[in-house]
Amino acid sequence: MRRRAHHDAVNAAIELFSREGYERTTVEEIADAAGISRATFFRRYRSKEDVVFADHEILLEEVVVHLADSRSTPGSADPFVEVCRAARLVFDHHVSQPETSAARHRLLQQVPALRDRELVTTHRYERAFTRYLRDVLPPETQVATTSVAFAASVVAVHNAVLRRWLRDTDQDLRPALEESFRDLRRAAPRAALRPRVSSATPSDTGDRTPSDSPSGGGRRVVVTVVDLPAGDGPVDTDAVAEAVRAALA
């Protein structure tokens, strides 16, 4: 019901702005076209700028829920993949309503106030991605830098591909978007892919034994990735052993 109400208001506003002009269209006209009262309009939307992006309010909530759900099984999800999936939700939303998305894009080129509002909307997605990454990345990595850089990169790539699609909404650019996201994930710090390690002590959890802890006599298993030189020559086993020793240290 809420999604439908926002959808109707967005379509009504964009259609009126496109036909009558942004400045000449009144709140009363938008409310009438959307089938709501003026009072209801202002309860739901603070301004004409807000109503144009009202569908993104629900979409942002869905993005946040998606990221939260991905944390329900700690250690099983790649946080960079989950951020890309969340961004894909936004892209798919645009693709699902090509006429509305294209009309809104044309309005943005004509109305500076709407371009400013779009920047605010984009920043809210970026902040959601950054907060999620800061929460789930392991503390030994440069969490703040990695989170901000990856979130900003995903948003920038998403917007670049989206603009290409908006110029011709008949084309399918989802494969291009996914390939771009894969490029970003390849460039992400490898250490950030390790799950966050809990700082809980045996008394916190109540289910660890001394043998579970390195200091309690248990064994640790270290997995490391070693970059080998290109070519088909023999592997330098001394270099591999040194890399493993460094990881163990």
Side-chain angles (χ1 to χ4, degrees):
M1 179 65 179
R2 182 166 167 249
R3 175 184 285 275
R4 185 69 209 177
H6 282 325
H7 177 78
D8 291 344
V10 170
N11 284 346
I14 290 177
E15 182 180 350
L16 283 168
F17 293 156
S18 300
R19 187 175 69 246
E20 306 294 338
Y22 178 77
E23 296 297 339
R24 290 192 297 273
T25 301
T26 65
V27 165
E28 287 77 7
E29 290 172 329
I30 299 172
D32 287 343
I36 58 178
S37 67
R38 186 177 188 275
T40 299
F41 178 94
F42 281 112
R43 273 201 310 272
R44 294 176 180 173
Y45 321 108
R46 293 172 298 179
S47 65
K48 292 195 296 185
E49 293 92 339
D50 283 346
V51 73
V52 173
F53 296 93
D55 52 337
H56 282 271
E57 293 298 320
I58 292 179
L59 187 56
L60 182 62
E61 292 174 8
E62 292 176 356
V63 163
V64 171
V65 168
H66 169 85
L67 294 175
D69 287 346
S70 74
R71 302 176 60 184
S72 60
T73 52
S76 65
D78 178 337
F80 297 134
V81 169
E82 296 306 325
V83 168
C84 292
R85 286 175 177 166
R88 172 70 179 270
L89 292 175
V90 183
F91 190 84
D92 287 346
H93 173 75
H94 285 284
V95 172
S96 70
Q97 47 176 23
E99 292 183 2
T100 298
S101 296
R104 177 161 44 199
H105 180 64
R106 288 191 295 271
L107 278 173
L108 295 181
Q109 313 313 306
Q110 303 165 10
V111 184
L114 294 182
R115 289 200 297 273
D116 292 342
R117 187 62 180 79
E118 183 194 32
L119 291 175
V120 172
T121 301
T122 297
H123 184 59
R124 293 178 69 191
Y125 285 113
E126 187 175 324
R127 280 193 304 176
F129 298 158
T130 301
R131 282 197 301 267
Y132 164 76
L133 290 172
R134 282 178 171 168
D135 286 344
V136 299
L137 291 180
E140 66 269 21
T141 63
Q142 292 179 310
V143 174
T145 302
T146 300
S147 302
V148 171
F150 192 81
S153 297
V154 165
V155 170
V157 164
H158 169 276
N159 290 348
V161 177
L162 179 63
R163 283 191 291 270
R164 284 176 53 198
W165 174 77
L166 286 167
R167 290 194 290 268
D168 178 8
T169 56
D170 290 331
Q171 59 185 328
D172 182 7
L173 291 183
R174 284 170 293 189
L177 179 68
E178 292 300 332
E179 181 58 33
S180 296
F181 284 163
R182 280 192 290 271
D183 289 341
L184 291 181
R185 294 197 298 272
R186 292 187 194 106
R190 287 176 177 172
L193 296 177
R194 295 197 298 271
R196 180 182 284 271
V197 178
S198 173
S199 59
T201 64
S203 60
D204 293 327
T205 60
D207 58 2
R208 285 176 56 184
T209 65
S211 62
D212 292 328
S213 169
S215 61
R219 292 184 300 170
R220 298 178 68 188
V221 177
V222 175
V223 179
T224 185
V225 178
V226 180
D227 292 321
L228 298 177
D232 300 324
V235 174
D236 185 346
T237 54
D238 289 338
V240 173
E242 180 58 35
V244 173
R245 279 196 294 270
L248 287 170

